[in-house]
mmCIF file of all heavy atoms in Angstrom:
data_model
loop_
_atom_site.group_PDB
_atom_site.id
_atom_site.type_symbol
_atom_site.label_atom_id
_atom_site.label_comp_id
_atom_site.label_asym_id
_atom_site.label_seq_id
_atom_site.Cartn_x
_atom_site.Cartn_y
_atom_site.Cartn_z
ATOM 1 N N PRO P 13 15.395 11.066 9.429
ATOM 2 C CA PRO P 13 16.656 11.693 9.822
ATOM 3 C C PRO P 13 17.822 10.709 9.933
ATOM 4 O O PRO P 13 18.952 11.065 9.655
ATOM 5 C CB PRO P 13 16.345 12.343 11.173
ATOM 6 C CG PRO P 13 15.064 11.767 11.628
ATOM 7 C CD PRO P 13 14.368 11.196 10.447
ATOM 8 N N ILE P 14 17.541 9.476 10.327
ATOM 9 C CA ILE P 14 18.600 8.459 10.415
ATOM 10 C C ILE P 14 18.404 7.520 9.240
ATOM 11 O O ILE P 14 17.450 6.759 9.194
ATOM 12 C CB ILE P 14 18.528 7.691 11.749
ATOM 13 C CG1 ILE P 14 18.664 8.668 12.901
ATOM 14 C CG2 ILE P 14 19.588 6.598 11.804
ATOM 15 C CD1 ILE P 14 18.429 8.076 14.258
ATOM 16 N N GLY P 15 19.272 7.598 8.267
ATOM 17 C CA GLY P 15 19.151 6.763 7.082
ATOM 18 C C GLY P 15 18.873 7.566 5.824
ATOM 19 O O GLY P 15 19.243 7.177 4.731
ATOM 20 N N GLY P 16 18.178 8.691 5.975
ATOM 21 C CA GLY P 16 17.957 9.597 4.863
ATOM 22 C C GLY P 16 16.914 9.170 3.843
ATOM 23 O O GLY P 16 16.792 9.793 2.799
ATOM 24 N N GLN P 17 16.146 8.113 4.127
ATOM 25 C CA GLN P 17 15.109 7.711 3.192
ATOM 26 C C GLN P 17 14.067 8.812 3.059
ATOM 27 O O GLN P 17 13.780 9.510 4.008
ATOM 28 C CB GLN P 17 14.406 6.416 3.647
ATOM 29 C CG GLN P 17 15.290 5.210 3.711
ATOM 30 C CD GLN P 17 15.961 5.049 5.065
ATOM 31 O OE1 GLN P 17 15.957 5.941 5.902
ATOM 32 N NE2 GLN P 17 16.571 3.896 5.274
ATOM 33 N N GLU P 18 13.515 8.938 1.861
ATOM 34 C CA GLU P 18 12.431 9.884 1.610
ATOM 35 C C GLU P 18 11.146 9.081 1.462
ATOM 36 O O GLU P 18 11.090 8.127 0.682
ATOM 37 C CB GLU P 18 12.708 10.680 0.349
ATOM 38 C CG GLU P 18 13.940 11.553 0.464
ATOM 39 C CD GLU P 18 14.298 12.243 -0.836
ATOM 40 O OE1 GLU P 18 13.527 12.154 -1.815
ATOM 41 O OE2 GLU P 18 15.362 12.861 -0.881
ATOM 42 N N ILE P 19 10.135 9.453 2.218
ATOM 43 C CA ILE P 19 8.856 8.762 2.185
ATOM 44 C C ILE P 19 7.811 9.734 1.658
ATOM 45 O O ILE P 19 7.701 10.852 2.142
ATOM 46 C CB ILE P 19 8.461 8.251 3.581
ATOM 47 C CG1 ILE P 19 9.535 7.292 4.103
ATOM 48 C CG2 ILE P 19 7.089 7.575 3.542
ATOM 49 C CD1 ILE P 19 9.358 6.903 5.562
ATOM 50 N N GLU P 20 7.050 9.279 0.674
ATOM 51 C CA GLU P 20 5.996 10.100 0.094
ATOM 52 C C GLU P 20 4.701 9.303 0.079
ATOM 53 O O GLU P 20 4.680 8.147 -0.343
ATOM 54 C CB GLU P 20 6.370 10.517 -1.325
ATOM 55 C CG GLU P 20 5.378 11.450 -1.955
ATOM 56 C CD GLU P 20 5.815 11.947 -3.328
ATOM 57 O OE1 GLU P 20 6.905 11.585 -3.785
ATOM 58 O OE2 GLU P 20 5.052 12.704 -3.933
ATOM 59 N N LEU P 21 3.628 9.926 0.555
ATOM 60 C CA LEU P 21 2.303 9.325 0.525
ATOM 61 C C LEU P 21 1.459 10.056 -0.508
ATOM 62 O O LEU P 21 1.473 11.288 -0.549
ATOM 63 C CB LEU P 21 1.634 9.406 1.898
ATOM 64 C CG LEU P 21 2.393 8.758 3.052
ATOM 65 C CD1 LEU P 21 1.653 8.996 4.360
ATOM 66 C CD2 LEU P 21 2.604 7.281 2.809
ATOM 67 N N GLN P 22 0.755 9.281 -1.332
ATOM 68 C CA GLN P 22 -0.086 9.859 -2.379
ATOM 69 C C GLN P 22 -1.426 9.130 -2.406
ATOM 70 O O GLN P 22 -1.485 7.928 -2.138
ATOM 71 C CB GLN P 22 0.564 9.687 -3.758
ATOM 72 C CG GLN P 22 1.937 10.287 -3.872
ATOM 73 C CD GLN P 22 2.631 9.869 -5.158
ATOM 74 O OE1 GLN P 22 2.480 8.756 -5.629
ATOM 75 N NE2 GLN P 22 3.412 10.780 -5.709
ATOM 76 N N GLN P 23 -2.471 9.837 -2.747
ATOM 77 C CA GLN P 23 -3.777 9.214 -2.951
ATOM 78 C C GLN P 23 -3.951 8.914 -4.429
ATOM 79 O O GLN P 23 -3.704 9.772 -5.276
ATOM 80 C CB GLN P 23 -4.913 10.112 -2.481
ATOM 81 C CG GLN P 23 -6.277 9.471 -2.711
ATOM 82 C CD GLN P 23 -7.394 10.242 -2.069
ATOM 83 O OE1 GLN P 23 -7.279 10.658 -0.924
ATOM 84 N NE2 GLN P 23 -8.472 10.448 -2.797
ATOM 85 N N LEU P 24 -4.375 7.684 -4.729
ATOM 86 C CA LEU P 24 -4.645 7.279 -6.106
ATOM 87 C C LEU P 24 -6.147 7.181 -6.319
ATOM 88 O O LEU P 24 -6.835 6.486 -5.574
ATOM 89 C CB LEU P 24 -4.029 5.911 -6.412
ATOM 90 C CG LEU P 24 -2.524 5.768 -6.289
ATOM 91 C CD1 LEU P 24 -2.109 4.351 -6.620
ATOM 92 C CD2 LEU P 24 -1.821 6.741 -7.211
ATOM 93 N N ASP P 25 -6.630 7.876 -7.327
ATOM 94 C CA ASP P 25 -8.036 7.793 -7.720
ATOM 95 C C ASP P 25 -8.061 7.393 -9.190
ATOM 96 O O ASP P 25 -7.463 8.069 -10.036
ATOM 97 C CB ASP P 25 -8.735 9.143 -7.527
ATOM 98 C CG ASP P 25 -8.836 9.505 -6.057
ATOM 99 O OD1 ASP P 25 -9.469 8.759 -5.309
ATOM 100 O OD2 ASP P 25 -8.264 10.548 -5.667
ATOM 101 N N PHE P 26 -8.750 6.299 -9.464
ATOM 102 C CA PHE P 26 -8.774 5.753 -10.815
ATOM 103 C C PHE P 26 -9.923 6.345 -11.625
ATOM 104 O O PHE P 26 -10.998 6.616 -11.096
ATOM 105 C CB PHE P 26 -8.875 4.233 -10.755
ATOM 106 C CG PHE P 26 -7.716 3.616 -10.026
ATOM 107 C CD1 PHE P 26 -7.837 3.230 -8.700
ATOM 108 C CD2 PHE P 26 -6.491 3.446 -10.645
ATOM 109 C CE1 PHE P 26 -6.775 2.685 -8.013
ATOM 110 C CE2 PHE P 26 -5.411 2.890 -9.972
ATOM 111 C CZ PHE P 26 -5.555 2.508 -8.653
ATOM 112 N N GLU P 27 -9.685 6.538 -12.904
ATOM 113 C CA GLU P 27 -10.672 7.128 -13.801
ATOM 114 C C GLU P 27 -11.976 6.326 -13.787
ATOM 115 O O GLU P 27 -13.065 6.899 -13.847
ATOM 116 C CB GLU P 27 -10.112 7.180 -15.220
ATOM 117 C CG GLU P 27 -11.010 7.876 -16.205
ATOM 118 C CD GLU P 27 -10.358 8.002 -17.564
ATOM 119 O OE1 GLU P 27 -9.183 7.662 -17.734
ATOM 120 O OE2 GLU P 27 -11.060 8.461 -18.479
ATOM 121 N N ALA P 28 -11.885 5.028 -13.662
ATOM 122 C CA ALA P 28 -13.074 4.173 -13.672
ATOM 123 C C ALA P 28 -13.865 4.264 -12.373
ATOM 124 O O ALA P 28 -14.966 3.734 -12.276
ATOM 125 C CB ALA P 28 -12.667 2.726 -13.929
ATOM 126 N N GLY P 29 -13.306 4.923 -11.376
ATOM 127 C CA GLY P 29 -13.984 5.057 -10.081
ATOM 128 C C GLY P 29 -13.543 3.977 -9.115
ATOM 129 O O GLY P 29 -12.495 3.377 -9.268
ATOM 130 N N GLY P 30 -14.385 3.723 -8.129
ATOM 131 C CA GLY P 30 -14.034 2.746 -7.104
ATOM 132 C C GLY P 30 -13.305 3.401 -5.954
ATOM 133 O O GLY P 30 -13.204 4.627 -5.856
ATOM 134 N N MET P 31 -12.773 2.562 -5.075
ATOM 135 C CA MET P 31 -12.106 3.093 -3.888
ATOM 136 C C MET P 31 -10.763 3.712 -4.217
ATOM 137 O O MET P 31 -10.109 3.321 -5.179
ATOM 138 C CB MET P 31 -11.962 2.009 -2.826
ATOM 139 C CG MET P 31 -10.732 1.143 -2.938
ATOM 140 S SD MET P 31 -10.494 0.070 -1.524
ATOM 141 C CE MET P 31 -11.291 -1.392 -2.117
ATOM 142 N N SER P 32 -10.384 4.683 -3.418
ATOM 143 C CA SER P 32 -9.060 5.290 -3.526
ATOM 144 C C SER P 32 -8.045 4.376 -2.850
ATOM 145 O O SER P 32 -8.382 3.607 -1.949
ATOM 146 C CB SER P 32 -9.046 6.654 -2.837
ATOM 147 O OG SER P 32 -9.930 7.539 -3.462
ATOM 148 N N PHE P 33 -6.815 4.457 -3.293
ATOM 149 C CA PHE P 33 -5.714 3.716 -2.680
ATOM 150 C C PHE P 33 -4.685 4.703 -2.157
ATOM 151 O O PHE P 33 -4.587 5.843 -2.629
ATOM 152 C CB PHE P 33 -5.046 2.791 -3.701
ATOM 153 C CG PHE P 33 -5.797 1.517 -3.938
ATOM 154 C CD1 PHE P 33 -6.879 1.483 -4.786
ATOM 155 C CD2 PHE P 33 -5.416 0.350 -3.295
ATOM 156 C CE1 PHE P 33 -7.590 0.323 -5.007
ATOM 157 C CE2 PHE P 33 -6.111 -0.820 -3.507
ATOM 158 C CZ PHE P 33 -7.201 -0.849 -4.368
ATOM 159 N N LEU P 34 -3.906 4.251 -1.194
ATOM 160 C CA LEU P 34 -2.793 5.034 -0.666
ATOM 161 C C LEU P 34 -1.511 4.463 -1.256
ATOM 162 O O LEU P 34 -1.206 3.279 -1.080
ATOM 163 C CB LEU P 34 -2.730 4.948 0.855
ATOM 164 C CG LEU P 34 -1.559 5.679 1.496
ATOM 165 C CD1 LEU P 34 -1.712 7.190 1.330
ATOM 166 C CD2 LEU P 34 -1.440 5.322 2.966
ATOM 167 N N ARG P 35 -0.790 5.285 -1.990
ATOM 168 C CA ARG P 35 0.511 4.871 -2.529
ATOM 169 C C ARG P 35 1.589 5.344 -1.574
ATOM 170 O O ARG P 35 1.627 6.506 -1.176
ATOM 171 C CB ARG P 35 0.740 5.471 -3.913
ATOM 172 C CG ARG P 35 2.159 5.204 -4.435
ATOM 173 C CD ARG P 35 2.297 5.493 -5.887
ATOM 174 N NE ARG P 35 1.616 4.423 -6.624
ATOM 175 C CZ ARG P 35 1.364 4.477 -7.920
ATOM 176 N NH1 ARG P 35 1.714 5.533 -8.623
ATOM 177 N NH2 ARG P 35 0.738 3.480 -8.514
ATOM 178 N N THR P 36 2.469 4.429 -1.234
ATOM 179 C CA THR P 36 3.620 4.740 -0.401
ATOM 180 C C THR P 36 4.867 4.556 -1.257
ATOM 181 O O THR P 36 5.090 3.482 -1.817
ATOM 182 C CB THR P 36 3.694 3.809 0.829
ATOM 183 O OG1 THR P 36 2.492 3.951 1.578
ATOM 184 C CG2 THR P 36 4.878 4.159 1.719
ATOM 185 N N ARG P 37 5.641 5.623 -1.368
ATOM 186 C CA ARG P 37 6.898 5.582 -2.130
ATOM 187 C C ARG P 37 8.041 5.827 -1.154
ATOM 188 O O ARG P 37 8.068 6.843 -0.469
ATOM 189 C CB ARG P 37 6.930 6.678 -3.194
ATOM 190 C CG ARG P 37 5.899 6.524 -4.275
ATOM 191 C CD ARG P 37 5.893 7.750 -5.189
ATOM 192 N NE ARG P 37 7.244 8.222 -5.472
ATOM 193 C CZ ARG P 37 7.763 8.332 -6.692
ATOM 194 N NH1 ARG P 37 7.049 8.050 -7.741
ATOM 195 N NH2 ARG P 37 8.987 8.763 -6.852
ATOM 196 N N ILE P 38 8.961 4.899 -1.103
ATOM 197 C CA ILE P 38 10.135 5.043 -0.248
ATOM 198 C C ILE P 38 11.357 5.067 -1.157
ATOM 199 O O ILE P 38 11.587 4.131 -1.930
ATOM 200 C CB ILE P 38 10.242 3.900 0.775
ATOM 201 C CG1 ILE P 38 8.974 3.847 1.637
ATOM 202 C CG2 ILE P 38 11.501 4.072 1.643
ATOM 203 C CD1 ILE P 38 8.878 2.635 2.529
ATOM 204 N N ARG P 39 12.117 6.151 -1.055
ATOM 205 C CA ARG P 39 13.327 6.297 -1.868
ATOM 206 C C ARG P 39 14.541 6.149 -0.967
ATOM 207 O O ARG P 39 14.679 6.849 0.038
ATOM 208 C CB ARG P 39 13.353 7.647 -2.553
ATOM 209 C CG ARG P 39 14.593 7.842 -3.385
ATOM 210 C CD ARG P 39 14.576 9.164 -4.087
ATOM 211 N NE ARG P 39 15.800 9.284 -4.874
ATOM 212 C CZ ARG P 39 16.216 10.385 -5.432
ATOM 213 N NH1 ARG P 39 15.509 11.484 -5.313
ATOM 214 N NH2 ARG P 39 17.328 10.416 -6.103
ATOM 215 N N GLU P 40 15.423 5.226 -1.349
ATOM 216 C CA GLU P 40 16.710 5.049 -0.679
ATOM 217 C C GLU P 40 17.785 5.216 -1.747
ATOM 218 O O GLU P 40 18.021 4.309 -2.538
ATOM 219 C CB GLU P 40 16.803 3.657 -0.058
ATOM 220 C CG GLU P 40 15.750 3.396 0.995
ATOM 221 C CD GLU P 40 15.822 1.981 1.535
ATOM 222 O OE1 GLU P 40 16.577 1.768 2.492
ATOM 223 O OE2 GLU P 40 15.128 1.112 0.981
ATOM 224 N N LYS P 41 18.381 6.388 -1.776
ATOM 225 C CA LYS P 41 19.352 6.762 -2.806
ATOM 226 C C LYS P 41 18.709 6.583 -4.174
ATOM 227 O O LYS P 41 17.782 7.304 -4.508
ATOM 228 C CB LYS P 41 20.650 5.992 -2.627
ATOM 229 C CG LYS P 41 21.303 6.292 -1.287
ATOM 230 C CD LYS P 41 22.603 5.599 -1.097
ATOM 231 C CE LYS P 41 23.114 5.946 0.299
ATOM 232 N NZ LYS P 41 24.325 5.289 0.612
ATOM 233 N N SER P 42 19.151 5.628 -5.007
ATOM 234 C CA SER P 42 18.566 5.465 -6.340
ATOM 235 C C SER P 42 17.505 4.364 -6.388
ATOM 236 O O SER P 42 16.920 4.114 -7.430
ATOM 237 C CB SER P 42 19.669 5.150 -7.354
ATOM 238 O OG SER P 42 20.302 3.935 -7.019
ATOM 239 N N ARG P 43 17.235 3.729 -5.274
ATOM 240 C CA ARG P 43 16.267 2.632 -5.224
ATOM 241 C C ARG P 43 14.905 3.133 -4.724
ATOM 242 O O ARG P 43 14.830 3.872 -3.754
ATOM 243 C CB ARG P 43 16.793 1.550 -4.282
ATOM 244 C CG ARG P 43 15.870 0.386 -4.128
ATOM 245 C CD ARG P 43 16.457 -0.628 -3.177
ATOM 246 N NE ARG P 43 15.376 -1.487 -2.720
ATOM 247 C CZ ARG P 43 15.434 -2.236 -1.671
ATOM 248 N NH1 ARG P 43 16.522 -2.260 -0.940
ATOM 249 N NH2 ARG P 43 14.421 -2.977 -1.321
#
Side-chain angles (χ1 to χ4, degrees):
I14 301 172
Q17 297 89 348
E18 296 174 7
I19 301 171
E20 184 175 359
L21 302 176
Q22 303 169 324
Q23 179 171 315
L24 299 180
D25 293 299
F26 300 99
E27 185 175 354
M31 87 171 94
S32 297
F33 280 81
L34 177 68
R35 173 166 286 169
T36 302
R37 295 173 41 122
I38 302 171
R39 179 178 180 192
E40 299 177 88
K41 299 182 182 177
S42 62
R43 179 180 161 198

